[in-house]
Each structure stands twice: as structure tokens, then as C-alpha cells.
Amino acid sequence: MADMKQLARLIKELEDQLVVCMRCGMCQAVCPLYAETGREADVARGKLALLEGLVQEMFKDPKGVNERLMRCLLCGSCSANCPSGVKVLDIFIRARAILTGYMGLHPLKKAVFRGMLARPQFFDRLMEWASRLQGIFVKPVDDLLGASCGRLLTPLGERHIKALAAPPFHMRVKPGSTSPRAAGLRVAFFVGCLIDKVFPNVGEAVMRTMEHHGVGVFLPEDFACCGIPALSSGDAAAFDKLVHYNLQRFAAEPFDFLITACATCTSTIKKLWPLMAWKLSLEAQEQVSAIAAKTMDVSQFLVDKVGVRQADTKSGDQKVLLTYHDPCHLKKSLGVASQPRTLLQANSRYRFKEMIEADWCCGMGGSFNLQHYGISASIGKRKRDNIVQSECETVATSCPACMLQMTDMLSQAGDRVQVKHAIEIYAESLP
Amino acid sequence: MKALIEEFEKVLGKDNVFQDEADLATYSYDAAVLDPVLPSLVLRPTSSEALGKVVGMCNEHALPLTVRGAGTNLSGGTIPKSGGVVLLTNALNRILEINEEDLYAVVEPGVVTAKFAAAVEAKGLFYPPDPGSQAVSTLGGNVAENAGGLRGLRYGVTRDYVMGLEFFDANGELVKAGARTVKCVTGYNLGGIMVGSEGTLGVFDKIILKLIPMPPARKAMMAIFNDINKASETVSAIIANRIVPVTLEFMDNFTIRAVEDFSHAGLPVEAAALLLIEVDGHPVQVEEDAEKVESLCRRLGAMSIRVARDATERDKVWEARRAALSALSRIKPTTVLEDATVPRSRVPAMIRSIEGIAREFNLTIGTFGHAGDGNLHPTILTDRRNHQEWERVEKAIESIFDRALSLGGTLSGEHGIGMAKSRFMEKETSRATIVYSRRIKAALDPKNILNPGKIIGD
């Protein structure tokens, strides 16, 4: 529903957020993309300046801006390091929705919209206007966005099928729900696309761990994608549909926490669902904020709520060296970094060792990897080099997308390093 | 123009000539609160040969040229001339030599300051200048601006570490200044005029920097005062007692409150002022100096003193200072960071003046900075979109300059003159100074292509 009223509202909110950037340029120090290319348009400051230039009509090239806006991993390193606290990801997500919506607009409507941008003081009146025009324009825009949704999701699917060797998680584990026992807690498990289709063993490790700790699990019959691939491509309409679908599934039964083993799903549900919820019904908005508040990464749940602790280690044991890669969406977006490390050190078979730049992005960035494989791979190579330099035999992480990227990079270089999810390492220690 | 672009592409490769409007727009600003200006072309040479060539070509075609490192300038020095060329140095980023026997390093201009400092530190050596933007700023930019930092009091500023320079003149001819030796009186001191010239007299190709041994020990402490004058007397007393701390930083009550709101570090929000002090050197001397500083602080009326006992506590002391600009900048959308500097003994008078100016123009100003060297950072918090308030901000900035000058100070301690302060130059110097500087500029750059309009105006 990228109608004019919504675009106008998004732009207005965007303006207030854009002005927070003081152009200090500190984001250059942490942007994994800028480190490879050295181009200002690749770093947050450059993109924010472009968006502001567009809103202020300093130049008129929405297509050029959109192309540059899409060259971003959405890793949030800039945001986490920003002295003035610019909400870079919120801005980029909104801007992608605006530009995709805008470029899908009929030329006549574009003209009206441009007029709005140039004269913000008429915004409110034009928004009333737009609401009247809505009926005329909404339909074609919807059709267009619907099409882009299909176009978008297919290549992701194709790519992952290649990696798929076994039946997906949803065919291995029956949906349903179990009651809480020892822990007195019940979680809803949001499996996510990659764990379902590529890493079903990670999903199984989650189930086994919950069973071991006597945590009740609610696994809905079917679930949709968390919506990030659609939203990061600016397809807010497809995103809304996916959120709606998921809300219905998870409304079926009560639970204390919603857990995922995917850093990206966790941060999407926790941060982006609420960010984009303003156009949903009041009831749905409440549902979204309730779910977002209960959502957490599986390691955070196990350490903070169940009380898993590091194992007592005896020195001199024959141990497998293990390191950890911080997924951006877990550490930079949600500040979760110590819990997965605790979880890893709960398995006494391994000896934990930090690699350098453990929180430097792996370069995956979801669809970024599909569109800019060359740059994605050179960022990934830096990660690979750091893993190899740590001399560890296993690298763990908390995000299946990072697992894909690290597997790709390590196997291309012929390194004999295993890539595992933190929950797999922990589950190995269970009787 | 089209033929010229093709020429540039031949020299630099197509990938290093940016001409799309959207790319140009990302080189139209720096960190100063000024309007962006679009260049017509952005060039990124990857070798010194190419760098010299494109400088010569710009001169031949009378194209204004602005060199840009990380674009962190706070006075508009990297904002291009409309229709001019932006010349990027970030592909010239090699550390060519770190000489441990003779204590110097040779670098290309695009090397990032913090990366250089880390490489030097890995060899047990020390490059002290540490501007606030060091995580991204380039050494070329530091030299062009004569950048300062927190350690100025004891270790000086960038100028004190430049032993030699190789730079291209406006014609693209290579000029050499200084040497790899501690002593060098060969020819004019061309390096002297190049340091701090803000890209108006030449384009750096190589920089020879002095290194010193890393001091083996250091100790930090935080002293809290209920009276700005007491804090300031303490600063003077420390130096009068022949102790020169590495850093002697000041934060006013407004900044203390902002930092506490932001990071909940447990700062005393009622305190009038904070001093953050660090001494370094030989371990025995560090202990002795730290004790002396502590007793001076007590004697001169500090309400409390926290001495860091280990690295973690030291980090905690500095956390407050590091958070200062972040904490302030989050209060309002626009942050104007000034750097008018006064002789150290006039710091209390300057702080009182700034408080008065904030009241007079009804503005929010937080002040922190380098009390040890008189370089304060009055930080005006505003919203540039509020035109009425912005007019008051401009008047307040002028008042701050006037006041600093009347106290025997200077317009800029470390951010440079650029475009933001060029019209105030005459206030501090004289008409003759401007004319003299313009004659130098005209003689060395007759077509006025090198960062025109900066420092001395057009």
C-alpha cells in the first residue's frame, strides 16, 4: 500500500531523523562495505546526505539514490558506533520503502508527490488530498509491489535449495505444543526460513535443548518468513502480509517468550515489526508490541531465563579450539554478545578463544550477497582470514545467514574449519 | 569538459573518476555546519604519479581543486568550490616506512591517523597527535589542518611531528621540504608554511613524521569541583609545580549533566566542573606526579578525587570525556562545535563569558575541552531549521570570537579557518596580514586552483 499518504508520512518522519546526522564521518571507521570500496556513497554518512539532498531537492535523481541505498548490508555497525545516535537502519528501511513506493508511482502522481516534497508546509493538506486520491491509485501500486515480492523471494529460495541436503525442519519435527516442566516456562519457537530449509539440525538442537531443560515449546503448524528480505528491498506491502500471517499463527496459544536461533529474525521481529506497525490496526499494533517484547535469541533465553552457566573447566584436557563470530543483528542491533559465549563455554569439550574483529560483519547482508557477490565475498574473506588466524577448528555463530557466508568463504579457500550454530555446540553437551 | 573527463579517465582509470550526480553529492559536505556545494567531478588517484598528473591537468584547465581525506573538517575546508574538482586521497594510504633506529615514519597522505598510531605502537613507539576524529581522519588532513587533540599540553600538535614533506605545487611539479634527519636547515622552511595551509598551497604526496618512544607508564584521575575558579586555579597550580600532564581536560556542569543522562556513569550532576587528568612517563615519576597532582587538587578545593588504579578504572575515567560530544549532540538536532582558544590563565574568564553569551542569546551551550592548553570547545546545541534561532547562533559565535580575541586568544585552536571563519581573520590579525597571505597564495597558485576561498577568502 505505497499510496501517497503513506509515502508523505514516511518522508516527514524521515526528515526529522535525517537532521540528527552531524556528518562527523565516524561511520567510515566501522562500515564493512566502505572498508572495501572507500566510496562515500557506500557509507552511512553519504547515504544520509543523499537522502537529505533528495528531500531538499538539491538534486533530482531518486533512481541513483535508490541504487546507492540498496548497496548496504544493513548490518548496523554505523548505528552502533554513531556519536549522535542516528537511527540509520530505521532510516534506510523507511527510505527503501519510500523510494520503491515512489518509483512504482504513476508519473502524474510522481509529479504531485514531488510538489509535496518541495513544499513541506503543504504536507498536511496534501495528506488529506492524498487520502481522497487513494482509491484511484492504490490498486496499481499494490499490483506492482505484489509482483516485486514474488520476484524477490524466488532467487533467495533457489539459492538455498542448493545447500539443502535433507528434509526441512518442518517435515522432521511435528508442530504442536508441549507443557512446561522443570523450568516452568513456555516458549514459542520461530524457526525462520534458513533454519527450516538449510539448517534443520539447528532447529532440532533447539528442540532438544528445550526438552532437556523442561521448557514447554509451542511450534505453530506453519509460519511465514519474518519479512526482512521483502522490507530490505523496500517492499513494505509484502512485509505487512508476512507480519500479519505470523501474528495470526502465534496468537493461537499463550507463551512466555518467543525464541529464535536466527539473529536476523530476532532483530526483525523485535525492531522492524514495531517500526513498520503504524499502519496496522490498533489491535494488531498491540499484538506486535507484545510479541516484540517477548522475543529473544535462544542463547539469551537459556542464559538469562533458564540459568545456563559456563562449565567448570579442568586444564590439561584434550580440547577442540572454538571461536565465535558476532552476528551484526545480534550484537549491534540487540546488544547480545555475552550470552552466546556463555553457552559455548557450557560445553567443556571445547576451549573458547576470541578471534580478532569478532564483531566485524561477515559480508552476507541477505540479498546484498545476491546482488553484490563480489564485494560480499571480499568482506567475507576478511572474516575468513580472521577465523583461520585464530587457529580454531570450529567457528560458531548465532545466525544461519552468517553460517552460510562463512561456510562459503572457508570452503572456497579449502580451510578445514567447521561452522556451527552456538546452540548446536551446547546441545552436544547434553546427555 | 567531456574531452577532459576522458583524459582523467586515461590517467586514473574509469572507476576512479566519479561524475554521477548522486556520487558528486556525497562529496559536497564535511563535518562543518555549512551548506553543501556540488563539485563537477571527483577524482581518486591511486599513485603519486597520477596525483601529480591530475593536479597539473586541473591547473592547465583552471579547475578549482579541493583535496579530501576523510571529510571530517569542522570549518568547511573540504567543501569544494561549485563546479570544481574533489581530489580523494583515500587510495593513497600506504605506510611506506617506520624507522625504529632513526625514529621517523614516511606515509602517504591517505593513511588513517588511528591505524598509523596503532602500527607505530606495535613497535613500541608513539605518535602523540590524537584529534577527536582520529578513527577516520587522515594524516594528510591532519597536516593540512595542523590538527591537535587531547595530548597537546605535553606533546604538542601535528606541526611538532612533521619532519618533512613532498608535495605537488599548482603545476603538478614535485617540491621537497625537510628531511629524515632531526636537524635540517637546507633551504626555506617550506614545511612550516605547508602545515596548516588547508590545501591552499600544494597537494601532499608524502609526509615524514617524527616518532618518540612510548612512555612506559601512565595514570589517570578525575577531580570534581563545586567552583569553576577552583578547577582553573588547580590547572594553573599543576603547571606552576612543573608537572605537565599528558591531558588536562575540563567539563562544565551542563556537559556533566548531559553525560550523566546519556551514560549513567555516576558523575556528580551538582558539580560545577570536572577535571580529567592523566600523567605519563617513567613509572616512578608517574607515581610521584600523580600523588602531587592529587594533593594539589585537594589543597585547592576539589570536592572529591577518583584515581584510576588499573586499566579498567582508567577507561572509566576517560569514558566520561569520550561521551561528552555524543551526549551533547543528542540533545538537539544541530551541533556547532567551536574551538576558540585563550591563554591557559584566561580559561575561567572565557568560561564565564561563554555562560554570559548563552544567556544573552538565549541558547544552549555546553563547554568542555582542553583546559591545559586553553583550547575549549563551547558546543552550541540548536536546530538549524529554526531560522530565528540560527541567526542568534551566528551572533553568539561572533561574540565568542570577540571575547576570545579580547582575552588574548585565537579564533581556532585546532579546527582550522576554512570557510567558516575566514571573514573573521582580519579581526585577529590585520589587513596587512591578509594582503601578505594573499600575495603568497597568488605567487604560488596564480590561477587560484588550490582550495580557493579557504582561509583568506576569494
Side-chain angles (χ1 to χ4, degrees):
Chain A
M1 279 238 308
D3 65 286
M4 289 176 67
K5 191 178 168 184
Q6 290 193 353
L7 289 180
R9 177 177 169 154
L10 281 166
I11 285 259
K12 206 173 184 181
E13 287 173 355
L14 203 61
E15 251 197 304
D16 286 338
Q17 290 190 315
L18 281 173
V19 71
V20 179
C21 172
M22 54 178 181
R23 304 280 187 270
C24 68
M26 293 310 282
C27 43
Q28 294 171 95
V30 292
C31 176
L33 181 56
Y34 182 79
E36 299 299 322
T37 68
R39 294 176 74 115
E40 179 89 12
D42 283 338
V43 78
R45 177 174 69 167
K47 291 181 167 75
L48 294 168
L50 283 176
L51 287 171
E52 203 169 345
L54 204 58
V55 173
Q56 309 289 349
E57 294 220 75
M58 188 176 133
F59 54 90
K60 298 167 182 177
D61 182 14
K63 194 165 161 284
V65 173
N66 195 40
E67 275 170 22
R68 283 158 184 81
L69 197 61
M70 288 309 219
R71 273 171 66 95
C72 170
L73 294 144
L74 298 177
C75 70
S77 301
C78 46
S79 237
N81 192 50
C82 177
S84 37
V86 178
K87 292 181 177 144
V88 184
L89 291 197
D90 288 10
I91 294 173
F92 287 179
I93 290 285
R94 282 199 165 109
R96 286 181 181 197
I98 293 167
L99 285 168
T100 307
Y102 171 77
M103 288 190 298
L105 291 179
H106 185 274
L108 176 68
K109 205 173 154 191
K110 272 189 188 168
V112 177
F113 193 70
R114 293 196 65 86
M116 286 166 62
L117 293 185
R119 290 172 296 168
Q121 65 270 37
F122 293 135
F123 250 4
D124 293 336
R125 207 179 329 147
L126 277 159
M127 275 170 75
E128 288 168 31
W129 260 83
S131 74
R132 279 177 232 158
L133 289 170
Q134 193 171 330
I136 309 168
F137 291 117
V138 164
K139 207 162 178 302
V141 175
D142 257 359
D143 287 350
L144 184 122
L145 293 177
S148 78
C149 162
R151 199 172 62 231
L152 224 161
L153 294 173
T154 326
L156 253 180
E158 273 172 13
R159 187 180 181 86
H160 297 159
I161 282 165
K162 284 179 198 155
L164 182 65
F169 179 82
H170 70 264
M171 288 173 69
R172 298 183 182 197
V173 179
K174 277 197 182 135
S177 58
T178 56
S179 311
R181 287 177 289 112
L185 293 168
R186 213 166 99 89
V187 298
F189 180 24
F190 187 95
V191 180
C193 306
L194 284 183
I195 291 180
D196 182 51
K197 295 174 180 64
V198 189
F199 299 107
N201 36 331
V202 172
E204 287 176 318
V206 172
M207 295 301 283
R208 201 141 45 85
T209 305
M210 296 305 147
E211 169 67 25
H212 170 79
H213 286 291
V215 174
V217 178
F218 162 42
L219 190 64
E221 187 112 5
D222 49 359
F223 46 84
C225 162
C226 68
I228 187 68
L231 192 60
S232 66
S233 304
D235 192 346
F239 176 79
D240 292 345
K241 277 184 200 162
L242 293 168
V243 171
H244 218 79
Y245 189 90
N246 281 317
L247 283 181
Q248 284 175 343
R249 293 301 168 283
F250 286 96
E253 287 190 36
F255 51 85
D256 301 305
F257 297 101
L258 183 137
I259 58 158
T260 95
C262 171
T264 304
C265 291
T266 311
S267 95
T268 302
I269 298 170
K270 237 179 149 49
K271 295 200 140 172
L272 300 182
W273 283 18
L275 179 76
M276 301 302 287
W278 52 271
K279 54 201 151 157
L280 303 180
S281 71
L282 225 56
E283 192 197 344
Q285 284 186 34
E286 277 170 21
Q287 254 183 304
V288 164
S289 54
I291 284 200
K294 287 183 191 177
T295 299
M296 62 173 70
D297 169 71
V298 64
S299 67
Q300 190 185 7
F301 172 75
L302 288 169
V303 174
D304 295 353
K305 303 296 171 189
V306 178
V308 171
R309 292 288 171 265
Q310 288 186 15
D312 290 329
T313 47
K314 288 177 221 124
S315 56
D317 287 0
Q318 215 29 37
K319 282 184 180 165
V320 180
L321 263 186
L322 166 74
T323 191
Y324 180 74
H325 158 71
D326 285 292
C328 297
H329 291 156
L330 204 54
K331 182 174 178 186
K332 287 156 198 155
S333 166
L334 301 172
V336 175
S338 71
Q339 295 93 332
R341 287 172 169 79
T342 304
L343 202 61
L344 295 175
Q345 292 172 83
N347 185 338
S348 56
R349 204 168 70 80
Y350 292 88
R351 187 154 65 84
F352 182 71
K353 183 184 175 190
E354 290 284 355
M355 67 170 119
I356 58 165
E357 297 183 336
D359 65 354
W360 190 262
C361 179
C362 70
M364 179 65 179
S367 46
F368 181 88
N369 173 279
L370 296 171
Q371 284 153 7
H372 309 282
Y373 186 72
I375 305 174
S376 170
S378 56
I379 301 169
K381 190 178 170 298
R382 180 165 172 167
K383 177 57 63 182
R384 175 260 162 199
D385 291 348
N386 286 332
I387 296 168
V388 171
Q389 207 194 317
S390 76
E391 297 180 326
C392 289
E393 294 152 74
T394 303
V395 55
T397 188
S398 301
C399 180
C402 302
M403 289 171 74
L404 271 182
Q405 172 81 342
M406 291 193 294
T407 306
D408 188 7
M409 294 303 119
L410 289 162
S411 97
Q412 278 190 34
D415 304 311
R416 300 193 55 80
V417 178
Q418 276 203 311
V419 179
K420 287 191 173 174
H421 194 287
I423 193 70
E424 289 182 279
I425 303 278
Y426 178 66
E428 284 173 17
S429 73
L430 302 177
Chain B
M1 190 70 178
K2 197 163 168 270
L4 183 61
I5 290 172
E6 279 172 18
E7 284 296 305
F8 280 130
E9 285 178 342
K10 247 186 241 162
V11 178
L12 301 169
K14 271 198 163 139
D15 284 352
N16 293 312
V17 178
F18 308 161
Q19 40 180 325
D20 284 0
E21 205 179 20
D23 283 324
L24 300 178
T26 62
Y27 297 100
S28 63
Y29 52 80
D30 59 21
V33 188
L34 293 168
D35 290 330
V37 179
L38 277 177
S40 65
L41 213 54
V42 176
L43 307 174
R44 182 165 63 172
T46 55
S47 70
S48 51
E49 192 196 357
L51 176 67
K53 254 188 202 161
V54 296
V55 172
M57 285 162 74
C58 286
N59 192 47
E60 204 178 301
H61 295 88
L63 267 177
L65 172 169
T66 299
V67 181
R68 181 184 180 96
T72 55
N73 191 289
L74 284 160
S75 55
T78 29
I79 296 179
K81 189 91 179 164
S82 178
V85 166
V86 169
L87 194 55
L88 302 179
T89 61
N90 69 354
L92 300 163
N93 59 355
R94 290 175 305 161
I95 299 172
L96 300 170
E97 185 186 358
I98 295 178
N99 192 311
E100 294 175 71
E101 286 187 321
D102 297 326
L103 298 186
Y104 71 83
V106 185
V107 299
E108 292 186 322
V111 172
V112 171
T113 314
K115 283 189 182 163
F116 175 66
V120 164
E121 198 177 328
K123 295 184 185 291
L125 295 173
F126 189 26
Y127 175 72
D130 61 342
S133 55
Q134 59 173 332
V136 295
S137 71
T138 63
L139 290 166
N142 291 170
V143 175
E145 297 295 322
N146 189 11
L150 267 63
R151 302 182 182 127
L153 176 58
R154 184 173 172 93
Y155 291 108
V157 295
T158 303
R159 175 185 57 224
D160 302 307
Y161 295 86
V162 179
M163 294 170 78
L165 283 170
E166 292 184 14
F167 61 91
F168 292 106
D169 69 8
N171 299 314
E173 304 289 346
L174 193 65
V175 181
K176 296 187 179 187
R180 286 163 168 76
T181 53
V182 174
K183 295 175 176 173
C184 169
V185 291
T186 306
Y188 288 130
N189 180 9
L190 296 178
I193 194 172
M194 293 306 293
V195 175
S197 63
E198 303 189 13
T200 60
L201 298 178
V203 178
F204 302 146
D205 179 44
K206 287 187 187 66
I207 304 163
I208 306 170
L209 293 168
K210 181 170 89 175
L211 306 175
I212 59 175
M214 182 60 98
R218 53 193 178 184
K219 193 151 203 172
M221 67 186 81
M222 178 193 288
I224 296 150
F225 294 85
N226 58 9
D227 178 348
I228 287 183
N229 290 319
K230 285 182 190 166
S232 172
E233 280 165 23
T234 307
V235 170
S236 305
I238 291 171
I239 290 156
N241 275 272
R242 305 291 180 265
I243 299 169
V244 185
V246 197
T247 36
L248 223 175
E249 293 288 302
F250 165 88
M251 275 164 64
D252 73 350
N253 174 266
F254 186 86
T255 310
I256 296 169
R257 281 172 190 272
V259 170
E260 187 52 24
D261 278 352
F262 170 65
S263 61
H264 307 290
L267 298 184
V269 292
E270 298 307 321
L274 262 188
L275 289 181
L276 299 162
I277 309 159
E278 183 165 299
V279 291
D280 74 349
H282 186 277
V284 178
Q285 196 203 334
V286 166
E287 282 308 316
E288 207 176 287
D289 284 353
E291 272 169 34
K292 268 195 212 163
V293 171
E294 195 182 339
S295 74
L296 279 171
C297 287
R298 281 196 206 289
R299 187 142 49 84
L300 288 161
M303 291 156 64
S304 72
I305 300 163
R306 295 181 201 168
V307 182
R309 276 161 305 186
D310 52 33
T312 323
E313 288 191 10
R314 175 178 178 271
D315 270 357
K316 257 199 117 74
V317 166
W318 286 112
E319 201 180 83
R321 172 60 178 87
R322 276 195 297 267
L325 185 57
S326 292
L328 289 173
S329 70
R330 282 167 201 237
I331 294 172
K332 293 262 185 88
T334 311
T335 307
V336 182
L337 184 65
E338 282 303 334
D339 71 326
T341 301
V342 293
R344 176 158 62 219
S345 61
R346 311 311 297 271
V347 165
M350 189 64 203
I351 290 168
R352 276 194 299 276
S353 301
I354 294 166
E355 286 172 350
I357 289 165
R359 275 193 304 273
E360 183 186 344
F361 295 99
N362 188 22
L363 293 168
T364 311
I365 307 183
T367 301
F368 63 95
H370 322 304
D373 54 30
N375 179 197
L376 293 174
H377 291 307
T379 306
I380 308 176
L381 310 176
T382 178
D383 186 340
R384 210 187 171 193
R385 296 169 299 179
N386 178 343
H387 298 295
Q388 275 185 329
E389 183 166 297
W390 186 250
E391 274 177 29
R392 299 205 303 278
V393 170
E394 288 185 322
K395 283 182 189 148
I397 292 172
E398 202 164 339
S399 293
I400 291 173
F401 290 157
D402 286 343
R403 195 63 195 132
L405 294 180
S406 74
L407 291 169
T410 183
L411 291 172
S412 175
E414 56 185 2
H415 296 168
I417 296 298
M419 304 203 288
K421 294 172 204 164
S422 61
R423 67 194 173 94
F424 301 108
M425 272 282 285
E426 201 176 325
K427 272 192 182 179
E428 177 173 341
T429 59
S430 65
R431 187 68 208 149
T433 311
I434 311 287
V435 171
Y436 186 82
S437 305
R438 282 186 180 164
R439 277 198 216 122
I440 294 174
K441 168 79 168 155
L444 296 176
D445 178 18
K447 292 186 185 172
N448 196 24
I449 63 151
L450 297 171
N451 213 9
K454 311 297 155 54
I455 310 180
I456 46 173
D458 281 309

